[in-house]
Amino acid sequence: MLRIATVNVNGIRAAHRRGFGDWLATRGCDVVTLQEVRCPEEALPEEAFGHFHASHDLGQVAGRNGVAVLTRVPPVAVRTWSVPDPERPLARELRKHATEGRYVEVDLADVPLTVASLYLPKGGLPAHLQDPRRMRENPDGGAKYDRKMAFLAGFARHLSAARRRAASAGREFLLTGDLNVAHTRLDVASWRRSNQVEGFLPEERAWLDAQLTPRTLVDVVRRLHPETEGPYSWWSWLGQAYAKDAGWRIDYHLATPALARAARDAVVDREHLGVRLSDHAPVVVDYDMSQVSGRASRS
């Protein structure tokens, strides 16, 4: 059984103060993917990643972003956007994000699997939905919205290519991370009030729809919990959102079909020893790799 977790730590130093190190040491994960590490390499806490091997792209934006994949065994290959690959050029829309620390992908050494960690931009509202009376930030004319939608367009092509490359090497593919998109009504506690909120806009949900098909990628948690509200993985620090479990499900395991069928259990670790590690919670999935042949579909 291969246990894989993904968590947006919202700052590795803050997460360690809340007990992340103990969670990492005791949870029994084989692979852990992180988003929003928010720390340059020289400032990482001692034992930041425990006894795991860390493959990361921490980015060049001070105090923001940063992704990692932690593995018990060093991977056989690591790919990031910050290291140009002439044989695999980055999609045009993604080039401006190359140094932001948003994506890292590894080929595991002990099983035929490629695992990626993604931190997708939060985005914003399109210009026609921006009302200064209802916004915490000043209207930006839709700039953040346009930036996210361009990212989504480029990433769709990148994702398809990554999945096909994995298949050509006889590997399954797993995209994990904070996608900053809730897919369906089951993924937002107050979905009626969220139809005009970034992260639940119809066009964002349609984009995620297009990535998920029976022959390409499967939402593993939703497959195992088809009718469950949630399980949510993010809650605002404000008000009673966490206490009332009024959250969003925006942290995903998106797997190739054979790998998705091998998933046996999926849980959200809302807290560790009574403490929240972040405003996100780890999403932990157990995969029975004995059921995976390594002959992934190239669709």
Side-chain angles (χ1 to χ4, degrees):
M1 199 69 69
L2 187 72
R3 178 166 291 174
I4 301 179
T6 185
V7 56
N8 179 323
V9 292
N10 199 2
I12 190 67
R13 288 168 286 192
H16 263 278
R17 290 193 295 270
R18 299 186 183 106
F20 174 77
D22 185 63
W23 175 87
L24 185 64
T26 60
R27 192 58 175 88
C29 295
D30 300 290
V31 180
V32 179
T33 72
L34 307 178
Q35 302 84 45
E36 283 203 275
V37 177
R38 290 189 173 188
C39 185
E41 188 163 10
E42 63 273 14
L44 287 169
E46 186 176 357
E47 300 293 334
F49 305 124
H51 296 296
F52 285 81
H53 178 87
S55 305
H56 53 64
D57 187 347
L58 301 179
Q60 299 178 13
V61 184
R64 298 184 63 187
N65 308 334
V67 289
V69 178
L70 312 184
T71 54
R72 293 192 180 278
V73 178
V76 296
V78 179
R79 291 172 289 276
T80 71
W81 291 353
S82 61
V83 179
D85 184 345
E87 296 184 2
R88 300 169 178 173
L90 204 55
R92 173 179 52 82
E93 298 93 335
L94 301 179
R95 292 170 193 166
K96 67 178 68 176
H97 302 278
T99 61
E100 293 179 355
R102 292 196 177 274
Y103 185 87
V104 59
E105 174 186 301
V106 308
D107 294 337
L108 299 186
D110 41 358
V111 290
L113 175 61
T114 296
V115 179
S117 177
L118 169 70
Y119 178 49
L120 200 148
K122 180 182 177 182
L125 292 174
H128 72 277
L129 291 181
Q130 294 193 3
D131 183 344
R133 296 168 298 178
R134 300 179 180 177
M135 298 176 64
R136 295 178 184 171
E137 302 176 355
N138 292 329
D140 66 356
K144 291 180 180 177
Y145 168 84
D146 292 340
R147 177 172 176 260
K148 182 175 184 178
M149 296 309 295
F151 187 103
L152 292 176
F155 189 72
R157 300 197 304 276
H158 179 88
L159 182 58
S160 179
R163 179 178 53 78
R164 289 171 181 269
R165 282 195 299 268
S168 69
R171 291 177 171 273
E172 299 298 325
F173 181 83
L174 176 65
L175 175 69
T176 66
D178 178 0
L179 272 60
N180 269 311
V181 177
H183 188 203
T184 73
R185 295 177 179 181
L186 291 174
D187 299 318
V188 180
S190 302
W191 64 266
R192 289 183 178 84
R193 293 183 293 176
S194 300
N195 281 318
Q196 295 187 347
V197 175
E198 62 267 26
F200 199 61
L201 298 171
E203 53 269 43
E204 295 172 315
R205 297 164 60 195
W207 176 86
L208 190 47
D209 259 339
Q211 312 315 309
L212 303 176
T213 77
R215 293 181 61 83
T216 55
L217 291 174
V218 177
D219 181 345
V220 174
V221 175
R222 183 53 67 214
R223 179 181 180 274
L224 293 174
H225 300 279
E227 304 299 331
T228 301
E229 293 185 359
Y232 306 124
S233 61
W234 174 86
W235 304 262
S236 172
W237 288 113
L238 302 176
Q240 297 296 309
Y242 184 75
K244 296 178 179 179
D245 196 21
W248 289 49
R249 191 175 76 92
I250 56 177
D251 302 275
Y252 292 88
H253 287 233
L254 305 183
T256 41
L259 181 64
R261 290 193 296 270
R264 296 292 175 260
D265 188 41
V267 298
V268 174
D269 290 353
R270 274 175 52 95
E271 55 189 36
H272 176 66
L273 300 178
V275 178
R276 295 172 66 184
L277 300 177
S278 167
D279 53 347
H280 295 251
V283 181
V284 186
V285 179
D286 289 337
Y287 296 92
D288 182 357
M289 297 305 291
S290 69
Q291 302 301 307
V292 178
S293 68
R295 300 173 65 86
S297 170
R298 300 188 188 188
S299 298

